[in-house]
Amino acid sequence: RETLGQARLELAERRQRVEIIDRGLGEMVKRRQQLSELLGQRRSELEMWTAQVAEIEQTEHLTRSATVLMLDLSQSMPLRDNFLPAKKVAMALHSLISMQYPRDYLGIVGFSEVARILTAEQLPEVSWDFVYGTNMQHGFQLARQLLSRQSGTKQIIMITDGEPTAHINGRGEPEFHYPPVRATVDATLLEVARATRENIRINTFMLDPTQHLRQFIEKLTELNRGRAFFTTPETLGDYV
């Protein structure tokens, strides 16, 4: 009897240990399930955050602006006292974009008989050219080249006081005519059409415009769907 009682006691103790182990295993399984659910929740949050970051980056990419400023360097600009106000606007625009919109791009193209790319460092010292001709066609060509390397919304801002009186002919040489001839106008509008196909908007600031310049810019604006501003040297800076 004593042996039987001892056996029953040991059996009860073993059952108790098994129950303790079962409860421990149950807690472990429950805890593992909780951890798995928590991990799944964290993964979902991480995926959501990743998607949000990607959306923000895409939005910033799309809202980035790329601008090329086309500055008229022809002789008519200083003769009509238009050059210095135009140059000041160019420098102010560069300063504004550099300081407040550092992710944006600003290129500069000067144009007279031919066009050339200018750097921001050259801008303070740039002067007008002692040649005849306002070659918008070549200016638009260089502006398109600069903008082709950029992303985001693209625009050309042209400051001028003259009609297109020069273009690059089939021999690759500048050709000047005053009054403007059909070949020059057509070559210029061809570049406008190319810019339009590339989603580049052309916004023009006309200083002391003549009737012929108004008519040409109105045609350019109609083709490109940009904007035209008829202004004076005194009010040009207000648009910046």
Side-chain angles (χ1 to χ4, degrees):
R1 291 180 179 177
E2 183 179 348
T3 302
L4 180 59
Q6 185 177 358
R8 288 175 176 173
L9 180 60
E10 291 178 357
L11 180 60
E13 291 175 352
R14 289 181 180 180
R15 284 177 177 173
Q16 186 177 12
R17 286 197 295 271
V18 170
E19 290 175 358
I20 293 173
I21 292 173
D22 285 344
R23 285 198 298 271
L25 289 174
E27 289 295 328
M28 290 177 63
V29 171
K30 183 179 179 181
R31 182 61 176 166
R32 183 176 181 181
Q33 184 178 359
Q34 291 175 341
L35 289 173
S36 178
E37 292 175 354
L38 182 62
L39 181 59
Q41 182 181 353
R42 292 293 181 265
R43 284 176 177 169
S44 298
E45 291 176 352
L46 180 60
E47 290 175 357
M48 181 180 66
W49 291 337
T50 301
Q52 290 176 344
V53 169
E55 184 178 355
I56 291 172
E57 290 178 345
Q58 179 67 13
T59 300
E60 290 182 348
H61 174 77
L62 292 175
T63 56
R64 182 178 184 268
S65 177
T67 301
V68 170
L69 176 66
M70 282 179 51
L71 180 61
D72 190 340
L73 303 180
S74 64
Q75 278 190 326
S76 63
M77 291 286 282
L79 290 177
R80 299 172 185 168
D81 295 325
N82 290 330
F83 181 74
L84 287 180
K87 180 177 174 179
K88 288 179 180 178
V89 166
M91 295 176 65
L93 185 61
H94 174 264
S95 178
L96 175 67
I97 291 178
S98 299
M99 296 179 64
Q100 296 193 24
Y101 307 97
R103 294 187 70 257
D104 288 356
Y105 168 81
L106 176 64
I108 307 168
V109 171
F111 64 102
S112 57
E113 180 188 39
V114 295
R116 62 184 185 273
I117 296 172
L118 302 173
T119 65
E121 292 74 21
Q122 292 174 319
L123 194 55
E125 302 299 327
V126 72
S127 184
W128 61 88
D129 295 332
F130 293 91
V131 292
Y132 292 107
T134 303
N135 196 334
M136 297 179 185
Q137 175 226 17
H138 195 203
F140 287 139
Q141 282 183 347
L142 295 185
R144 288 177 47 243
Q145 290 176 17
L146 291 175
L147 290 172
S148 68
R149 307 165 193 161
Q150 304 301 321
S151 60
T153 58
K154 301 178 181 182
Q155 69 169 335
I156 295 171
I157 297 177
M158 179 170 65
I159 303 176
T160 184
D161 69 350
E163 305 165 66
T165 56
H167 71 283
I168 303 298
N169 60 27
R171 300 184 300 277
E173 301 170 347
E175 188 174 314
F176 169 76
H177 296 278
Y178 186 84
V181 297
R182 174 53 55 186
T184 299
V185 173
D186 289 347
T188 304
L189 292 179
L190 178 60
E191 286 302 316
V192 172
R194 287 169 175 165
T196 304
R197 287 195 296 270
E198 294 165 4
N199 293 318
I200 300 171
R201 289 291 166 264
I202 301 173
N203 298 312
T204 306
F205 291 86
M206 289 170 287
L207 297 161
D208 299 329
T210 63
Q211 183 60 34
H212 292 295
L213 176 58
R214 282 178 178 266
Q215 292 174 352
F216 173 77
I217 295 301
E218 286 170 356
K219 189 171 184 179
L220 181 157
T221 303
E222 180 182 359
L223 178 63
N224 178 261
R225 299 185 297 276
R227 301 178 67 187
F229 302 91
F230 301 89
T231 183
T232 66
E234 292 76 25
T235 60
L236 178 61
D238 297 339
Y239 291 93
V240 176

